[in-house]
Amino acid sequence: MEVPCEENASMSRKGFEFKRWMVVLAASIYCLTIGFTHCWGNMTVYVSSYLREVGGEDTRYADAQWLYQVMNTVQGLFTFLGGSLEMACGTATSALIAGWICSLGVVLSFFTCQSFWGLIITYGVVFGMGAGLTYTIPISVSLKWHPEHKGLISGIIFVARGLSVFVITPLQTWYVNPNNKSPTHAPFVDTPQEKYFDDMDVLHRVPSLFLWTGVIFAVVQFGTAIAMPSPTGAESEYMGKMIEERQRLEAQQKAQRVAAETREREGERTASGG
């Protein structure tokens, strides 16, 4: 990016600010797909019921939580590799690779959702691996574009990740259980409150939930990944000058306010002394 000439500086600065915030917007939307890890609580009742009714497995809710723990463990193990991937491939490419590993894990779960151990591999390991690789990339690239707003940008990215539950969970329920039915099958006498779905009108949508979620995520990740490149050397230089100029103007304004307040206090003292 060329440093703009003086007469076009105002217009170029506005365009550059727009580009900087578009990167943050893209990173936030990207994070909605990665925050899917936190939606497992809503999926547990449907997946556990599907494993029992269709897969013929004796999976209970307590067992399903092991899948979530595996996913979180794998995510943690691969998080530190996200930075290495970004340095090796660049921000946009690494975001696309890592995001598509996440989406691949979700799509593959369409084929394995009748098996608890199959889901451990596809959803727990593959999806968890992708989620770990992507963890640092959105916040890293956003901070490169906003080095003067580290706290604000970090907050926006983490809020976006958390908003995934707010956005995706209702969509999951709408797709799998549009009539908002409650589970009614209580197979265990000693725990009658532990109920599962046996309604195939609900359960037959579970595999396609994985499929469509993965496909939609892959499309969103492609669009957002290419929209959050790292700043070029010229852009970083221009951004540094722009930040320095803003800080200089802020310092001048602060000095003017202090001078005005000082003159006002001296005027008050003079008036009271007179």
Side-chain angles (χ1 to χ4, degrees):
M1 174 179 177
E2 297 183 356
V3 178
C5 55
E6 187 175 350
E7 59 268 21
N8 295 325
S10 177
M11 182 180 300
S12 297
R13 186 176 294 110
K14 290 180 180 179
F16 191 72
E17 284 287 359
F18 177 79
K19 182 176 182 178
R20 293 209 299 165
W21 284 106
M22 284 302 294
V23 172
V24 176
L25 176 61
S28 299
I29 297 174
Y30 181 90
C31 281
L32 290 178
T33 67
I34 309 308
F36 185 64
T37 55
H38 306 304
C39 298
W40 178 248
N42 186 57
M43 295 176 62
T44 299
V45 60
Y46 303 113
V47 176
S48 298
S49 300
Y50 187 85
L51 287 169
R52 295 183 64 85
E53 294 297 321
V54 180
E57 300 203 11
D58 192 27
T59 305
R60 302 181 68 169
Y61 293 134
D63 302 318
Q65 293 311 306
W66 278 102
L67 198 155
Y68 183 69
Q69 297 305 324
V70 169
M71 178 181 60
N72 278 333
T73 301
V74 174
Q75 176 181 340
L77 292 174
F78 277 84
T79 294
F80 76 99
L81 293 176
S84 300
L85 179 65
E86 183 180 0
M87 287 189 292
C89 303
T91 303
T93 303
S94 60
L96 187 59
I97 292 172
W100 277 5
I101 292 175
C102 283
S103 298
L104 177 64
V106 179
V107 170
L108 289 178
S109 298
F110 168 78
F111 302 100
T112 64
C113 61
Q114 295 185 22
S115 166
F116 178 76
W117 289 106
L119 281 175
I120 287 286
I121 295 172
T122 59
Y123 195 82
V125 176
V126 178
F127 177 73
M129 181 171 64
L133 291 173
T134 61
Y135 198 89
T136 61
I137 297 173
I139 190 170
S140 173
V141 67
S142 298
L143 291 176
K144 289 177 183 177
W145 284 96
H146 294 270
E148 79 280 28
H149 296 137
K150 291 182 173 65
L152 173 63
I153 299 303
S154 299
I156 290 174
I157 298 301
F158 281 108
V159 166
R161 188 184 296 270
L163 281 176
S164 180
V165 178
F166 177 77
V167 174
I168 297 176
T169 295
L171 295 176
Q172 288 176 331
T173 302
W174 169 79
Y175 180 79
V176 177
N177 189 7
N179 296 319
N180 201 26
K181 298 179 180 178
S182 299
T184 56
H185 180 52
F188 305 105
V189 178
D190 56 335
T191 55
Q193 72 279 6
E194 183 179 347
K195 297 180 180 180
Y196 297 83
F197 283 101
D198 57 0
D199 185 351
M200 290 305 300
D201 185 51
V202 172
L203 297 181
H204 85 277
R205 299 186 182 93
V206 171
S208 57
L209 173 65
F210 285 110
L211 178 63
W212 285 113
T213 299
V215 170
I216 292 171
F217 280 3
V219 173
V220 171
Q221 288 159 356
F222 176 78
T224 53
I226 63 177
M228 49 181 192
S230 293
T232 64
E235 287 171 332
S236 296
E237 181 181 355
Y238 176 60
M239 185 160 38
K241 293 180 178 179
M242 186 176 66
I243 293 172
E244 288 178 3
E245 180 183 354
R246 181 182 299 164
Q247 292 174 342
R248 179 179 58 81
L249 291 175
E250 290 175 351
Q252 288 179 349
Q253 292 172 354
K254 181 178 180 180
Q256 291 172 355
R257 287 197 301 270
V258 171
E261 291 172 358
T262 301
R263 288 194 298 269
E264 184 178 353
R265 286 194 298 269
E266 290 177 350
E268 291 175 352
R269 285 198 298 268
T270 302
S272 63

